[in-house]
Amino acid sequence: MTGSADSPTFTLAHVPGVMPAKWVGIWNERRPDVPLALLQITAAEAPDVLRDGRADAGLVRLPVDRTVFSAIPLYTETTVVVVPKDHLVTAADEVTLADLADEVVFHPLDDVLGWEQPPGEPGFERPATTEAAVELVAAGVGILYVPQSLARLHHRKDLTYRPVTDAPQSSVALSWPEEATTDLVEDFIGIVRGRTVNSTRGRRPQSEADKTPGKGARQTGGRAAGQSSGKAAGQAGGKAAGRTGGKGRAGAAKSGGTRRTGRPRRRS
């Protein structure tokens, strides 16, 4: 949660399978004055954590309650089936739900794919967590559908996975309470959207802003002084030239007036 005005912090919640390291690295480069704290939560905990202010924003799985939360979709994951390494489906690069219609399928209570019951034969129980379901797959008593990141998170040497082309998919989004869109949240939005530090739609870090006005003032002052000096010099030069030119013309006229011209006299 954001700290005091003198020592702010930014807390980012994230659900299993989501890897925030890339965005955290950019944050640390741009906002070294504001520490970023990570808070790992389950998908089910995300709404309460954000609503209660335990985190400023979260990398969560859609859907979210759009009457309460703002959300920026980031990416959609491939759904895979987790199976033992000696399973028949490992002979294929990808499979369909029809290929697995006769399999026993475990449906964990923390499922994030959103279906009421996966196709296939229901498992003898609903595991409390995806991790527990993976253990049952390793025992050779069924299979499991999950987003690819969760298959990687719970990787085991005796298991593998294959993409399922027609299964529901899970999307990841940056979400935060709509009424709590702070400056720090706006900064993180700019990072996940790939904006540069100088983007007109993003906020500029305070450390940079502090440096820029002084530099700009010096540059502006130098240009203004140069322009004023040049203008003054030009005006002075013009006046001097005018006076010199006028004097020259007057002298020429005076000199011309004293010169006598005409035909020479004839001697008698």
Side-chain angles (χ1 to χ4, degrees), residues 3-268:
S4 65
D6 295 332
S7 57
T9 60
F10 184 77
T11 301
L12 178 68
H14 63 102
V15 298
V18 176
M19 306 299 290
K22 173 181 67 175
W23 297 308
V24 172
I26 298 174
W27 176 277
N28 291 335
E29 291 177 1
R30 295 188 184 179
R31 297 305 310 264
D33 56 319
V34 181
L36 188 152
L38 290 175
L39 177 63
Q40 185 165 342
I41 58 174
T42 66
E45 291 173 334
D48 289 339
V49 168
L50 294 176
R51 190 182 292 111
D52 297 345
R54 283 177 276 168
D56 297 281
L59 297 170
V60 304
R61 294 191 181 275
L62 295 176
V64 299
D65 184 354
R66 297 306 291 263
T67 65
V68 178
F69 302 105
S70 295
I72 300 174
L74 301 177
Y75 57 89
T76 298
E77 288 197 68
T78 298
T79 297
V80 301
V81 58
V82 181
V83 296
K85 277 196 170 180
D86 59 355
H87 197 284
L88 290 176
V89 302
T90 60
D93 292 332
E94 57 186 27
V95 295
T96 66
L97 293 174
D99 295 330
L100 304 165
D102 297 331
E103 298 286 339
V104 174
V105 180
F106 288 106
H107 187 202
L109 294 175
D110 64 354
D111 170 64
V112 296
L113 295 176
W115 42 24
E116 293 184 6
Q117 173 60 47
E121 296 294 325
F124 60 86
E125 66 172 343
R126 287 199 66 183
T129 65
T130 297
E131 184 177 8
V134 169
E135 294 291 332
L136 292 172
V137 174
V141 292
I143 63 174
L144 173 67
Y145 297 114
V146 291
Q148 184 169 305
S149 67
L150 291 183
R152 290 173 174 169
L153 179 65
H154 300 295
H155 172 71
R156 291 173 52 117
K157 291 182 179 180
D158 53 349
L159 299 179
T160 188
Y161 58 85
R162 290 292 185 272
V164 184
T165 58
D166 55 349
Q169 295 178 316
S170 176
S171 295
V172 173
L174 174 67
S175 183
W176 67 96
E178 187 172 351
E179 295 182 353
T181 309
T182 64
D183 287 345
L184 294 178
V185 171
E186 289 285 2
D187 286 341
F188 198 79
I189 291 171
I191 288 172
V192 299
R193 282 185 162 168
R195 297 175 191 160
T196 65
V197 68
N198 294 321
S199 170
T200 57
R201 297 185 62 188
R203 293 178 62 253
R204 200 169 192 175
Q206 186 64 31
S207 58
E208 292 296 324
D210 289 342
K211 297 175 184 178
T212 304
K215 182 179 179 181
R218 290 192 297 271
Q219 291 175 343
T220 303
R223 287 196 299 268
Q227 290 171 351
S228 298
S229 299
K231 183 176 180 181
Q235 290 174 344
K239 290 178 181 178
R243 288 195 296 268
T244 304
K247 185 176 180 180
R249 287 192 299 270
K254 185 175 180 180
S255 174
T258 59
R259 180 181 297 175
R260 297 180 64 181
T261 60
R263 296 168 62 188
R265 294 181 180 180
R266 296 178 62 188
R267 292 184 180 181
S268 55

